[in-house]
Amino acid sequence: LKTSHTMSALSALSVFSDITFQRVWDRLGFDVKGKKFEYRLDIKWNNPVNFVIDGTGDVPSFHYKGQTLWLADDPEGNPARTLRLSCFMPEQQVGEWAVRHGAKKADDRGVREDLSLIFSEDGKSIIEGSQFQREYEGSLPMTGRLVEA
């Protein structure tokens, strides 16, 4: 891992370790304790991908593309029904666009991906205004729907 990714992950993990079911409930407005919610995300110019909120453990966790995500910032400071999450994707190839904007070289692997998810009041969809952003790239609009609860 690159040092900047490692430091970013470590600082974000300290926020993740504070997450509780009550804080997720307060933020999202629906209870996740003892439940698992799987969403299908549609990200502009990307293939659809699944996102999971898993409330079956001791603390809620978030999963995307085979990785566990961490909270990117304090959920108390986010607008209602919004989660901001980040994940380092070790197998994601660095693209030509990223190289032109600061990445080392196109055959490197590993970039950070950020999700800003805005949930509908009933929690059944991820609504307009949600954003996806890969490191070195601009943000893209995203929506999603609950496929399994």
Side-chain angles (χ1 to χ4, degrees):
L1 288 178
K2 297 173 184 156
T3 304
S4 63
H5 294 300
T6 304
M7 294 308 291
S8 176
L10 291 175
S11 74
L13 284 173
S14 67
V15 174
F16 180 76
S17 66
D18 280 350
I19 193 65
T20 64
F21 287 107
Q22 185 62 46
R23 287 179 71 199
V24 172
W25 165 265
D26 291 345
R27 195 60 7 228
L28 296 181
F30 58 92
D31 190 13
V32 300
K33 189 170 187 173
K35 302 171 187 167
K36 194 177 217 177
F37 297 86
E38 183 174 345
Y39 295 87
R40 188 70 166 172
L41 302 179
D42 294 308
I43 303 166
K44 186 174 186 173
W45 298 320
N46 285 266
N47 291 325
V49 63
N50 288 356
F51 167 75
V52 175
I53 299 173
D54 187 351
T56 61
D58 293 335
V59 296
S61 59
F62 312 97
H63 307 278
Y64 163 80
K65 293 185 180 179
Q67 303 293 319
T68 299
L69 287 83
W70 59 82
L71 291 173
D73 53 17
D74 184 354
E76 306 282 325
N78 289 337
R81 300 186 324 272
T82 301
L83 283 178
R84 290 191 178 108
L85 304 142
S86 289
C87 185
F88 181 74
M89 306 302 295
E91 295 303 315
Q92 177 68 44
Q93 185 169 347
V94 175
E96 181 182 330
W97 175 266
V99 172
R100 286 188 284 178
H101 292 87
K104 290 189 178 186
K105 55 185 179 177
D107 60 351
D108 277 351
R109 292 204 177 272
V111 296
R112 191 184 79 238
E113 293 186 1
D114 298 318
L115 304 171
S116 179
L117 304 167
I118 305 170
F119 292 82
S120 61
E121 287 187 33
D122 63 6
K124 293 183 179 177
S125 59
I126 295 167
I127 61 175
E128 286 187 34
S130 298
Q131 298 284 311
F132 165 85
Q133 185 166 5
R134 187 170 287 135
E135 188 174 21
Y136 303 107
E137 298 180 9
S139 63
L140 296 172
M142 165 179 55
T143 58
R145 62 182 171 79
L146 183 65
V147 293
E148 188 174 329

mmCIF file of all heavy atoms in Angstrom, residues 3 15 19 22 29 31 34 38 42 56 60 63-64 78 81 84 87 89 95-96 116 118 120 132-133 141 144-145:
data_model
loop_
_atom_site.group_PDB
_atom_site.id
_atom_site.type_symbol
_atom_site.label_atom_id
_atom_site.label_comp_id
_atom_site.label_asym_id
_atom_site.label_seq_id
_atom_site.Cartn_x
_atom_site.Cartn_y
_atom_site.Cartn_z
ATOM 1 N N THR A 3 1.870 4.955 1.090
ATOM 2 C CA THR A 3 1.801 5.588 2.403
ATOM 3 C C THR A 3 0.552 6.455 2.550
ATOM 4 O O THR A 3 -0.135 6.391 3.556
ATOM 5 C CB THR A 3 3.062 6.442 2.653
ATOM 6 O OG1 THR A 3 4.185 5.587 2.492
ATOM 7 C CG2 THR A 3 3.047 7.022 4.043
ATOM 8 N N VAL A 15 -12.635 6.455 12.802
ATOM 9 C CA VAL A 15 -14.040 6.861 12.740
ATOM 10 C C VAL A 15 -14.912 5.624 12.653
ATOM 11 O O VAL A 15 -15.921 5.498 13.340
ATOM 12 C CB VAL A 15 -14.297 7.795 11.535
ATOM 13 C CG1 VAL A 15 -15.771 8.096 11.400
ATOM 14 C CG2 VAL A 15 -13.488 9.073 11.675
ATOM 15 N N ILE A 19 -18.540 3.532 15.048
ATOM 16 C CA ILE A 19 -19.879 3.390 14.495
ATOM 17 C C ILE A 19 -20.713 2.466 15.384
ATOM 18 O O ILE A 19 -20.229 1.465 15.874
ATOM 19 C CB ILE A 19 -19.850 2.898 13.026
ATOM 20 C CG1 ILE A 19 -21.203 3.057 12.358
ATOM 21 C CG2 ILE A 19 -19.364 1.473 12.908
ATOM 22 C CD1 ILE A 19 -21.625 4.474 12.204
ATOM 23 N N GLN A 22 -27.016 2.684 16.759
ATOM 24 C CA GLN A 22 -27.800 3.889 17.026
ATOM 25 C C GLN A 22 -27.388 5.023 16.094
ATOM 26 O O GLN A 22 -28.228 5.745 15.572
ATOM 27 C CB GLN A 22 -27.644 4.335 18.485
ATOM 28 C CG GLN A 22 -28.540 5.513 18.848
ATOM 29 C CD GLN A 22 -30.025 5.193 18.700
ATOM 30 O OE1 GLN A 22 -30.485 4.148 19.142
ATOM 31 N NE2 GLN A 22 -30.774 6.081 18.047
ATOM 32 N N GLY A 29 -32.386 6.688 9.420
ATOM 33 C CA GLY A 29 -33.806 6.685 9.719
ATOM 34 C C GLY A 29 -34.450 5.317 9.615
ATOM 35 O O GLY A 29 -35.661 5.182 9.711
ATOM 36 N N ASP A 31 -33.774 0.998 10.858
ATOM 37 C CA ASP A 31 -32.992 0.125 11.727
ATOM 38 C C ASP A 31 -32.268 -0.935 10.912
ATOM 39 O O ASP A 31 -32.875 -1.599 10.069
ATOM 40 C CB ASP A 31 -33.922 -0.540 12.739
ATOM 41 C CG ASP A 31 -33.181 -1.282 13.830
ATOM 42 O OD1 ASP A 31 -31.947 -1.104 13.966
ATOM 43 O OD2 ASP A 31 -33.832 -2.047 14.559
ATOM 44 N N GLY A 34 -29.341 -6.521 13.209
ATOM 45 C CA GLY A 34 -29.818 -7.877 12.966
ATOM 46 C C GLY A 34 -30.277 -8.123 11.538
ATOM 47 O O GLY A 34 -30.806 -9.182 11.229
ATOM 48 N N GLU A 38 -29.046 -5.427 0.842
ATOM 49 C CA GLU A 38 -28.211 -5.448 -0.361
ATOM 50 C C GLU A 38 -28.839 -4.547 -1.419
ATOM 51 O O GLU A 38 -30.008 -4.683 -1.756
ATOM 52 C CB GLU A 38 -28.075 -6.868 -0.909
ATOM 53 C CG GLU A 38 -27.160 -6.947 -2.101
ATOM 54 C CD GLU A 38 -26.912 -8.383 -2.553
ATOM 55 O OE1 GLU A 38 -27.219 -9.325 -1.790
ATOM 56 O OE2 GLU A 38 -26.425 -8.547 -3.674
ATOM 57 N N ASP A 42 -26.182 1.751 -9.570
ATOM 58 C CA ASP A 42 -25.986 2.099 -10.980
ATOM 59 C C ASP A 42 -25.170 3.379 -11.015
ATOM 60 O O ASP A 42 -25.682 4.456 -10.682
ATOM 61 C CB ASP A 42 -27.331 2.275 -11.688
ATOM 62 C CG ASP A 42 -28.099 0.970 -11.775
ATOM 63 O OD1 ASP A 42 -27.516 -0.024 -12.258
ATOM 64 O OD2 ASP A 42 -29.260 0.934 -11.327
ATOM 65 N N THR A 56 -25.696 -7.656 11.005
ATOM 66 C CA THR A 56 -25.790 -8.918 11.744
ATOM 67 C C THR A 56 -24.639 -9.143 12.719
ATOM 68 O O THR A 56 -24.679 -10.086 13.496
ATOM 69 C CB THR A 56 -25.872 -10.120 10.774
ATOM 70 O OG1 THR A 56 -24.681 -10.164 9.977
ATOM 71 C CG2 THR A 56 -27.096 -10.012 9.873
ATOM 72 N N PRO A 60 -22.443 -2.376 12.795
ATOM 73 C CA PRO A 60 -22.801 -2.421 11.370
ATOM 74 C C PRO A 60 -21.557 -2.311 10.500
ATOM 75 O O PRO A 60 -20.586 -1.645 10.875
ATOM 76 C CB PRO A 60 -23.709 -1.205 11.193
ATOM 77 C CG PRO A 60 -23.490 -0.341 12.373
ATOM 78 C CD PRO A 60 -22.943 -1.188 13.472
ATOM 79 N N HIS A 63 -20.142 -3.111 2.734
ATOM 80 C CA HIS A 63 -19.331 -3.905 1.811
ATOM 81 C C HIS A 63 -19.630 -3.515 0.361
ATOM 82 O O HIS A 63 -20.784 -3.290 0.000
ATOM 83 C CB HIS A 63 -19.604 -5.385 2.038
ATOM 84 C CG HIS A 63 -19.441 -5.782 3.471
ATOM 85 N ND1 HIS A 63 -18.224 -6.067 4.024
ATOM 86 C CD2 HIS A 63 -20.348 -5.865 4.467
ATOM 87 C CE1 HIS A 63 -18.395 -6.337 5.312
ATOM 88 N NE2 HIS A 63 -19.670 -6.217 5.606
ATOM 89 N N TYR A 64 -18.552 -3.511 -0.434
ATOM 90 C CA TYR A 64 -18.639 -3.042 -1.823
ATOM 91 C C TYR A 64 -17.478 -3.655 -2.594
ATOM 92 O O TYR A 64 -16.330 -3.569 -2.142
ATOM 93 C CB TYR A 64 -18.576 -1.519 -1.794
ATOM 94 C CG TYR A 64 -18.250 -0.795 -3.068
ATOM 95 C CD1 TYR A 64 -19.220 -0.573 -4.038
ATOM 96 C CD2 TYR A 64 -16.977 -0.288 -3.285
ATOM 97 C CE1 TYR A 64 -18.927 0.129 -5.189
ATOM 98 C CE2 TYR A 64 -16.681 0.419 -4.435
ATOM 99 C CZ TYR A 64 -17.656 0.619 -5.385
ATOM 100 O OH TYR A 64 -17.352 1.310 -6.525
ATOM 101 N N ASN A 78 -23.193 14.601 8.401
ATOM 102 C CA ASN A 78 -23.785 14.393 7.082
ATOM 103 C C ASN A 78 -25.254 14.799 7.083
ATOM 104 O O ASN A 78 -25.916 14.734 8.111
ATOM 105 C CB ASN A 78 -23.705 12.916 6.685
ATOM 106 C CG ASN A 78 -22.301 12.486 6.359
ATOM 107 O OD1 ASN A 78 -21.460 13.296 6.016
ATOM 108 N ND2 ASN A 78 -22.051 11.193 6.472
ATOM 109 N N ARG A 81 -30.117 10.867 6.113
ATOM 110 C CA ARG A 81 -30.189 9.710 5.212
ATOM 111 C C ARG A 81 -28.979 9.586 4.289
ATOM 112 O O ARG A 81 -29.053 9.004 3.222
ATOM 113 C CB ARG A 81 -31.496 9.727 4.413
ATOM 114 C CG ARG A 81 -32.747 9.675 5.281
ATOM 115 C CD ARG A 81 -34.037 9.542 4.509
ATOM 116 N NE ARG A 81 -34.089 10.237 3.238
ATOM 117 C CZ ARG A 81 -34.460 11.499 3.064
ATOM 118 N NH1 ARG A 81 -34.802 12.223 4.096
ATOM 119 N NH2 ARG A 81 -34.497 12.032 1.868
ATOM 120 N N ARG A 84 -21.351 8.618 3.803
ATOM 121 C CA ARG A 84 -20.169 8.844 2.970
ATOM 122 C C ARG A 84 -19.154 7.795 3.368
ATOM 123 O O ARG A 84 -18.759 7.720 4.531
ATOM 124 C CB ARG A 84 -19.638 10.254 3.176
ATOM 125 C CG ARG A 84 -20.556 11.300 2.597
ATOM 126 C CD ARG A 84 -19.909 12.681 2.556
ATOM 127 N NE ARG A 84 -20.814 13.619 1.941
ATOM 128 C CZ ARG A 84 -21.463 14.578 2.605
ATOM 129 N NH1 ARG A 84 -21.275 14.727 3.892
ATOM 130 N NH2 ARG A 84 -22.279 15.383 1.970
ATOM 131 N N CYS A 87 -13.161 3.349 0.270
ATOM 132 C CA CYS A 87 -12.549 2.029 0.217
ATOM 133 C C CYS A 87 -11.331 2.071 -0.692
ATOM 134 O O CYS A 87 -11.354 2.707 -1.738
ATOM 135 C CB CYS A 87 -13.553 1.027 -0.331
ATOM 136 S SG CYS A 87 -12.960 -0.668 -0.309
ATOM 137 N N MET A 89 -9.273 0.083 -3.285
ATOM 138 C CA MET A 89 -9.499 -1.045 -4.183
ATOM 139 C C MET A 89 -8.152 -1.518 -4.725
ATOM 140 O O MET A 89 -7.629 -0.943 -5.681
ATOM 141 C CB MET A 89 -10.428 -0.628 -5.325
ATOM 142 C CG MET A 89 -11.751 -0.018 -4.872
ATOM 143 S SD MET A 89 -12.737 -1.088 -3.809
ATOM 144 C CE MET A 89 -13.124 -2.406 -4.921
ATOM 145 N N GLY A 95 -5.937 4.167 -14.320
ATOM 146 C CA GLY A 95 -6.210 4.463 -15.720
ATOM 147 C C GLY A 95 -5.392 5.621 -16.258
ATOM 148 O O GLY A 95 -4.714 6.339 -15.528
ATOM 149 N N GLU A 96 -5.496 5.803 -17.565
ATOM 150 C CA GLU A 96 -4.769 6.872 -18.248
ATOM 151 C C GLU A 96 -5.152 8.249 -17.698
ATOM 152 O O GLU A 96 -4.314 9.123 -17.508
ATOM 153 C CB GLU A 96 -5.064 6.809 -19.755
ATOM 154 C CG GLU A 96 -4.337 7.856 -20.554
ATOM 155 C CD GLU A 96 -4.693 7.777 -22.028
ATOM 156 O OE1 GLU A 96 -5.006 6.682 -22.525
ATOM 157 O OE2 GLU A 96 -4.653 8.841 -22.681
ATOM 158 N N SER A 116 -20.926 8.530 -1.852
ATOM 159 C CA SER A 116 -21.797 9.378 -1.049
ATOM 160 C C SER A 116 -23.214 8.927 -1.377
ATOM 161 O O SER A 116 -23.744 9.231 -2.448
ATOM 162 C CB SER A 116 -21.600 10.853 -1.394
ATOM 163 O OG SER A 116 -22.466 11.646 -0.614
ATOM 164 N N ILE A 118 -27.213 8.652 -0.717
ATOM 165 C CA ILE A 118 -28.384 9.293 -0.122
ATOM 166 C C ILE A 118 -29.547 8.308 -0.258
ATOM 167 O O ILE A 118 -29.906 7.919 -1.370
ATOM 168 C CB ILE A 118 -28.737 10.619 -0.826
ATOM 169 C CG1 ILE A 118 -27.528 11.554 -0.822
ATOM 170 C CG2 ILE A 118 -29.940 11.277 -0.132
ATOM 171 C CD1 ILE A 118 -27.705 12.782 -1.705
ATOM 172 N N SER A 120 -33.492 6.877 0.273
ATOM 173 C CA SER A 120 -34.884 7.323 0.332
ATOM 174 C C SER A 120 -35.375 7.177 1.776
ATOM 175 O O SER A 120 -34.752 6.477 2.584
ATOM 176 C CB SER A 120 -35.750 6.483 -0.610
ATOM 177 O OG SER A 120 -35.711 5.114 -0.223
ATOM 178 N N PHE A 132 -20.412 8.898 -6.859
ATOM 179 C CA PHE A 132 -19.288 7.964 -6.852
ATOM 180 C C PHE A 132 -18.069 8.734 -7.337
ATOM 181 O O PHE A 132 -18.166 9.512 -8.286
ATOM 182 C CB PHE A 132 -19.572 6.805 -7.809
ATOM 183 C CG PHE A 132 -18.369 5.977 -8.153
ATOM 184 C CD1 PHE A 132 -17.970 4.946 -7.324
ATOM 185 C CD2 PHE A 132 -17.639 6.227 -9.302
ATOM 186 C CE1 PHE A 132 -16.857 4.173 -7.643
ATOM 187 C CE2 PHE A 132 -16.527 5.466 -9.629
ATOM 188 C CZ PHE A 132 -16.136 4.435 -8.792
ATOM 189 N N GLN A 133 -16.925 8.518 -6.696
ATOM 190 C CA GLN A 133 -15.702 9.156 -7.190
ATOM 191 C C GLN A 133 -14.513 8.236 -6.971
ATOM 192 O O GLN A 133 -14.273 7.751 -5.876
ATOM 193 C CB GLN A 133 -15.445 10.493 -6.497
ATOM 194 C CG GLN A 133 -14.253 11.215 -7.099
ATOM 195 C CD GLN A 133 -14.174 12.666 -6.692
ATOM 196 O OE1 GLN A 133 -14.948 13.153 -5.883
ATOM 197 N NE2 GLN A 133 -13.226 13.373 -7.260
ATOM 198 N N PRO A 141 -22.641 10.630 -11.098
ATOM 199 C CA PRO A 141 -23.927 10.396 -10.446
ATOM 200 C C PRO A 141 -24.190 8.895 -10.282
ATOM 201 O O PRO A 141 -23.697 8.069 -11.064
ATOM 202 C CB PRO A 141 -24.935 11.025 -11.403
ATOM 203 C CG PRO A 141 -24.253 11.100 -12.716
ATOM 204 C CD PRO A 141 -22.782 11.184 -12.442
ATOM 205 N N GLY A 144 -29.526 3.746 -6.926
ATOM 206 C CA GLY A 144 -29.543 2.314 -6.592
ATOM 207 C C GLY A 144 -30.890 1.894 -6.049
ATOM 208 O O GLY A 144 -31.741 2.730 -5.737
ATOM 209 N N ARG A 145 -31.043 0.586 -5.927
ATOM 210 C CA ARG A 145 -32.292 0.059 -5.390
ATOM 211 C C ARG A 145 -31.998 -1.135 -4.500
ATOM 212 O O ARG A 145 -31.024 -1.859 -4.696
ATOM 213 C CB ARG A 145 -33.251 -0.330 -6.509
ATOM 214 C CG ARG A 145 -32.713 -1.425 -7.400
ATOM 215 C CD ARG A 145 -33.668 -1.767 -8.535
ATOM 216 N NE ARG A 145 -33.040 -2.666 -9.473
ATOM 217 C CZ ARG A 145 -32.899 -3.976 -9.291
ATOM 218 N NH1 ARG A 145 -33.365 -4.545 -8.213
ATOM 219 N NH2 ARG A 145 -32.303 -4.724 -10.192
#
